[in-house]
Amino acid sequence: MRLLIFLFFSFLTLNATIVIDKKETINLLEYSKIYHDVGNKETILTIFEKEDKFKTTKKEAIDYCNLTPEGVWIKFKLQNPTNKTIDKMLTIDNLSTERVDLYKVKNKELISQKTTGIYHLKEFDGTVALSLPISIKANSIESYYLNVKNEKLSLWFKPQLYEPKEFYKKDTLKQIMWALFFGGIFSLIIYNIFLFIFTKDKIFLFYFLYLIATLMQSQFSINAKFYLFPMDNPDFVKNDFYFNIFYVNVLVSFTMTLFIRYFLNTKLYPKIDLSLNLLIFIIPIYFILQIFDIFTIPQVVLFQFFTPYYFLWIGFYALYKKNPQAKFFLLGWSFALLAWLSLFFQYMGILPIEYIYGYTFETLIMAEVILFAISLAYRIKNLEKKKNDLTVELLKKEKTESKRLEKIVKTRTKELNSELKQNELLLKELHHRVKNNMQFITSLYALKLNENADKKMEEKLHDVERKIHAMSIVHQMLYNQKNLESINAKEYFEKVIENIKNSFELENISFKLNINTILDIEEAIYCGLIVNELVTNAIKYAFDGKEGCISISLNNYKKGILLEVSDNGKGLIKSDKMTFGQMMVESLAIEQLEGKLDIKVEKGTHISLWFKNKI
C-alpha cells in the first residue's frame, strides 16, 4: 500500500516537472501554473503564501487586455536526468515588457534572482530579444518562479525555453528580417530625396518626410536602438517611449497630411483642403504644448485613431470625384490601417498572439510604401505624357502664329526637350534602382535559404523569391533598352521560365513556348506573376514525378492578347476554398488586366486569359 502511494505521488511530481533532456523548444505555460497579479502587489516572499491561488492554463500565451498595472507569476520545475549540466534560454517575445524576474527557490527560500525587461537591459550582446539564461545541474530538480509585469501597457507574451544554439539562430533570423524591412524603406528614403533634388517636386519631399517618420516608429526603430543607443539606461528607454507615443506617431499623421494634399491635389476640394491646412497648423501647436505635458496617452491615442480614418474618407471622396490617384491612395492607406490595427490588437491582447503573423506590421507597411513609390513613378510617366502633348499643341500653333510665336515655340520646345531628357534619365534610374533593390531582397532570401532547415519555410521563401525575380526581370530589360514603354514578351517569358527551372530539379518536365507579341510594363509584370504562379503550381502538383509537358503561348487575338498555360498532368482539383495563389491570379487577371479568365480540366489543365492590348 505504501509503495502504491509513493508511486502515485511520484507520478504527480513528474507530471508537474519539465524534463529538459531533449533539445526541442518547450512552451513553458503548458507545464506550469500561473497567478494573475492585478496591481503588481506581490513579491517573491508574499507569493509563497499564494500557493493555493496558482492555476493551470490551456493558453499558449499570456494576453491580458488592460492598460493598468498588472503582472503574472508562473511557477514551474525543471528536471535534468542526465549526468551533465544543461543550459537553456528562457525567452519573452514581447520587447515592450517592462520587467521580467526569474527566481530560483528551494523550500520557499530564495536562491538566486535574474532580471531583464525593456527598462532593465544589460549591455547589448548581439541579440534583440528579452532572454534569461538557465543552467540546471546534473541529476537535479530545480524550482522557479517567473514574474512578468507591466505598469502602462497591456501584458502579452509567450514564454519559451530554447536550446542556446536554436535561440541564437531564431534571433539572427529576426535581425535579418528586420534588416530587410528597414533597408527596404531606407533605400526608398534615399531614392525619394534624390528625386526631389532632381525634379524639385514637393511631393517627393513630403513622401521622404513620411518615410522618415514611419522609420522612426518604435516597431521599426527599436532594433536600431539596440545597436546605436544605451538601452541599459532606463531613463533613456522611458524617454524614448514617451517620445514615440507623443511625438513620432503624431509626426506620421503630420507628414501624411502634407503628402495627401499634393498626392490627391486636394485644392480641387476646397473644404477638405481647408481641413488639412488646419491639421497642418494645429499639429505644430500640439508639439509645443506637449512640452508642458498637456495631453494624456488616451487623448493622443484618440487623435491617432481619428486621423487615419479621416484620411481614408478623403480617399473615398477623391475616388467618387474620379481622381486618378485615389485608387493608389486607398489601397496603400488600407495597408497602413491594417498594419496599425494588427499592432493595436496585438498590444491590447484582443487577438491571441499565436494567431498573428510575426511580421504583419512590417509587411503591410512595406506594401504601403512600395505602392506609393510605384504610383509616384507613374506620376513621372504622366508628366512626360503631358509634356509631349504640350509639344504637339505648340507645333500646331506654329503653323498659324506669327514669327513672335515661332520664337516662343522654339524656346519652349528646347526647354521641354531638356526636361524630357531629365525625366528619361530619372525613369531609367528608377528601373535600375528597383532592379537593384529586388536583387538585394532576393539575395537576402537566398542567404536565409542556405541556413533554413524548415521545408515549409524554405518553400515559401522560394515562392517569394520567384515572384520578386519575375518582377525584377522587367526592370532589368527596361534599363538595358531604349524603349521604356514595352518589352519583348518572348525574351521576358524565357527568362521567367529559366528562373523557375533553376528553382526546381526538373528531369521529366519539358516546356513549349509560343510567344509572338510585345507587352507594356504593367502588362508584363502582371503576366509574369500569373505565369510564375501557374507554372510553379503545375510543377508541384500536376505530374507526381511523372513525365509531363507545360505549354505557354502569348499571341494577338481579337484586338487583344490571349495568354494560355496548359499541362498534360492529372488536372486541377477543384476546392471550395481558394488558395492565396489562385486569388492572386484571379485578382491580377480580372481586376488589373481587366481580362476574361477561363479554366478547363480535360486531359490536364488548360488556363486561358484574354485581355485588351494597351499598345
Side-chain angles (χ1 to χ4, degrees):
M1 184 65 180
R2 290 181 179 179
L3 179 60
L4 290 174
I5 295 174
F6 173 76
L7 291 174
F8 175 73
F9 280 104
S10 297
F11 172 75
L12 290 179
T13 304
L14 184 61
N15 225 17
T17 303
I18 305 173
V19 181
I20 57 170
D21 57 336
K22 298 180 181 179
K23 294 185 177 181
E24 61 186 15
T25 300
I26 299 171
N27 182 10
L28 199 60
L29 294 180
E30 185 178 348
Y31 304 94
S32 309
K33 291 186 176 182
I34 65 171
Y35 170 73
H36 189 185
D37 182 8
V38 179
N40 287 328
K41 299 175 182 178
E42 308 297 342
T43 66
I44 187 60
L45 297 178
T46 62
I47 202 66
F48 290 146
E49 309 301 323
K50 304 284 184 178
E51 290 294 322
D52 58 329
K53 302 291 184 180
F54 278 82
K55 298 179 180 179
T56 58
T57 179
K58 295 181 179 180
K59 291 185 176 183
E60 293 185 3
I62 298 295
D63 52 358
Y64 297 141
C65 181
N66 301 302
L67 288 173
T68 56
E70 62 180 342
V72 63
W73 290 83
I74 303 174
K75 181 175 70 171
F76 61 96
K77 293 181 180 180
L78 301 179
Q79 179 181 4
N80 179 5
T82 67
N83 294 322
K84 61 180 181 179
T85 300
I86 294 179
D87 295 323
K88 291 284 184 180
M89 295 295 291
L90 173 61
T91 65
I92 303 295
D93 58 348
N94 179 6
L95 272 175
S96 64
T97 305
E98 296 175 13
R99 182 177 179 119
V100 180
D101 290 296
L102 179 66
Y103 301 97
K104 181 179 177 181
V105 299
K106 186 175 183 180
N107 298 326
K108 293 188 177 183
E109 291 185 4
L110 179 62
I111 304 300
S112 65
Q113 176 183 353
K114 295 179 181 179
T115 302
T116 186
I118 194 66
Y119 295 157
H120 304 276
L121 292 174
K122 296 181 179 179
E123 186 177 354
F124 178 58
D125 60 355
T127 62
V128 290
L130 297 181
S131 60
L132 292 168
I134 300 178
S135 293
I136 302 91
K137 296 179 180 179
N139 299 309
S140 65
I141 299 177
E142 298 180 352
S143 299
Y144 293 91
Y145 285 85
L146 178 66
N147 180 215
V148 185
K149 57 186 177 182
N150 272 345
E151 293 292 329
K152 295 181 179 179
L153 298 177
S154 293
L155 192 65
W156 60 268
F157 64 93
K158 186 176 183 179
Q160 291 180 301
L161 284 173
Y162 282 92
E163 282 288 307
K165 185 178 180 180
E166 185 64 24
F167 165 74
Y168 289 115
K169 181 179 178 181
K170 184 178 180 181
D171 190 79
T172 301
L173 173 61
K174 281 186 177 180
Q175 295 189 48
I176 290 174
M177 293 298 292
W178 168 80
L180 179 65
F181 291 115
F182 191 92
I185 294 181
F186 188 76
S187 64
L188 286 174
I189 289 174
I190 301 299
Y191 171 63
N192 277 275
I193 195 60
F194 275 108
L195 281 179
F196 170 68
I197 292 172
F198 285 115
T199 64
K200 306 300 180 184
D201 191 340
K202 289 184 179 179
I203 193 169
F204 295 110
L205 174 63
F206 294 145
Y207 190 55
F208 160 78
L209 294 174
Y210 172 69
L211 291 174
I212 289 287
T214 299
L215 212 56
M216 289 173 64
Q217 292 181 99
S218 59
Q219 197 71 4
F220 278 111
S221 63
I222 189 166
N223 288 339
K225 290 166 187 170
F226 272 104
Y227 290 99
L228 302 175
F229 298 108
M231 296 298 287
D232 58 336
N233 184 337
D235 291 333
F236 169 79
V237 178
K238 290 178 182 179
N239 290 335
D240 175 68
F241 172 78
Y242 179 91
F243 182 75
N244 262 282
I245 291 292
F246 289 99
Y247 291 102
V248 172
N249 292 334
V250 178
L251 182 63
V252 172
S253 298
F254 178 71
T255 53
M256 178 48 71
T257 306
L258 295 172
F259 177 71
I260 288 174
R261 289 190 68 244
Y262 278 82
F263 189 78
L264 295 179
N265 193 17
T266 56
K267 290 181 180 179
L268 299 173
Y269 325 117
K271 292 183 179 179
I272 291 177
D273 194 59
L274 176 62
S275 68
L276 292 177
N277 279 324
L278 287 174
L279 202 58
I280 292 171
F281 177 75
I282 290 171
I283 290 178
I285 296 177
Y286 158 82
F287 285 146
I288 296 172
L289 292 177
Q290 193 53 31
I291 296 174
F292 306 100
D293 295 330
I294 300 295
F295 301 99
T296 62
I297 289 181
Q299 290 171 338
V300 177
V301 170
L302 181 63
F303 169 78
Q304 293 168 8
F305 185 82
F306 166 76
T307 51
Y309 287 98
Y310 179 58
F311 294 157
L312 189 68
W313 178 84
I314 293 175
F316 278 111
Y317 183 80
L319 183 66
Y320 170 74
K321 291 293 184 178
K322 298 181 179 180
N323 189 316
Q325 295 290 83
K327 290 181 180 179
F328 286 105
F329 175 76
L330 280 174
L331 185 57
W333 195 243
S334 296
F335 284 141
L337 279 177
L338 288 173
W340 291 322
L341 283 174
S342 70
L343 201 63
F344 176 77
F345 290 154
Q346 184 178 359
Y347 274 80
M348 292 297 294
I350 295 175
L351 287 178
I353 61 173
E354 60 265 26
Y355 299 142
I356 301 177
Y357 171 55
Y359 302 102
T360 299
F361 179 84
E362 293 87 347
T363 302
L364 289 171
I365 290 295
M366 195 69 187
E368 176 217 5
V369 299
I370 289 176
L371 189 66
F372 281 141
I374 292 173
S375 66
L376 290 178
Y378 276 108
R379 178 184 175 89
I380 296 177
K381 184 179 179 180
N382 290 333
L383 286 174
E384 181 182 339
K385 184 178 181 300
K386 288 179 180 179
K387 288 174 181 177
N388 285 334
D389 293 341
L390 181 59
T391 302
V392 172
E393 182 182 348
L394 289 173
L395 290 173
K396 288 180 179 179
K397 288 182 179 180
E398 184 183 19
K399 296 177 181 180
T400 57
E401 292 290 336
S402 63
K403 291 183 179 180
R404 179 182 64 85
L405 290 178
E406 184 177 347
K407 291 181 180 180
I408 295 175
V409 169
K410 288 181 179 180
T411 303
R412 185 60 180 152
T413 302
K414 191 175 181 179
E415 292 174 354
L416 288 171
N417 287 334
S418 176
E419 292 176 4
L420 183 59
K421 288 181 180 179
Q422 185 181 30
N423 283 335
E424 287 176 351
L425 289 173
L426 286 173
L427 195 55
K428 268 190 170 285
E429 182 63 15
L430 167 68
H431 293 303
H432 179 59
R433 289 179 179 272
V434 170
K435 181 202 70 172
N436 286 348
N437 287 340
M438 288 184 172
Q439 287 180 345
F440 170 71
I441 294 173
T442 305
S443 298
L444 285 179
Y445 273 107
L447 177 63
K448 183 56 199 164
L449 282 169
N450 291 335
E451 299 176 356
N452 191 43
D454 187 338
K455 291 185 178 179
K456 290 185 178 179
M457 178 63 74
E458 182 178 356
E459 184 177 348
K460 290 180 180 178
L461 291 175
H462 270 306
D463 283 339
V464 174
E465 184 182 21
R466 284 190 290 271
K467 289 181 176 67
I468 293 174
H469 194 272
M471 292 187 289
S472 70
I473 293 172
V474 173
H475 297 284
Q476 182 179 358
M477 292 176 66
L478 287 169
Y479 182 70
N480 293 328
Q481 65 184 32
K482 292 183 179 180
N483 181 8
L484 299 179
E485 294 183 351
S486 62
I487 64 171
N488 185 323
K490 183 177 181 181
E491 180 183 355
Y492 173 54
F493 275 84
E494 286 175 349
K495 290 183 178 181
V496 171
I497 297 302
E498 187 62 29
N499 180 58
I500 295 175
K501 288 181 180 180
N502 293 335
S503 299
F504 295 91
E505 296 180 3
L506 302 179
E507 297 179 357
N508 302 322
I509 300 176
S510 60
F511 293 85
K512 291 182 180 179
L513 272 70
N514 179 20
I515 313 296
N516 298 291
T517 187
I518 60 174
L519 297 171
D520 75 356
I521 304 170
E522 190 176 17
E523 292 171 345
I525 291 176
Y526 294 150
C527 288
L529 289 172
I530 290 171
V531 169
N532 179 80
E533 183 66 25
L534 296 178
V535 171
T536 301
N537 284 343
I539 292 172
K540 288 181 180 178
Y541 309 114
F543 304 107
D544 293 334
K546 300 178 181 178
E547 291 186 355
C549 179
I550 300 174
S551 301
I552 303 164
S553 67
L554 187 74
N555 296 285
N556 296 323
Y557 181 74
K558 291 184 179 180
K559 296 183 180 181
I561 293 179
L562 181 64
L563 170 64
E564 295 176 287
V565 180
S566 306
D567 65 70
N568 58 356
K570 64 182 182 180
L572 180 66
I573 299 175
K574 293 185 178 180
S575 174
D576 293 334
K577 186 177 181 182
M578 293 182 68
T579 65
F580 173 77
Q582 290 172 331
M583 289 190 290
M584 184 191 76
V585 170
E586 185 173 311
S587 175
L588 291 175
I590 298 174
E591 297 179 15
Q592 304 302 327
L593 291 172
E594 299 179 352
K596 297 179 181 178
L597 186 65
D598 183 53
I599 302 174
K600 293 182 180 179
V601 179
E602 184 178 347
K603 295 181 180 180
T605 303
H606 179 84
I607 301 174
S608 61
L609 166 64
W610 180 91
F611 58 93
K612 291 182 180 179
N613 188 349
K614 295 182 179 179
I615 297 176

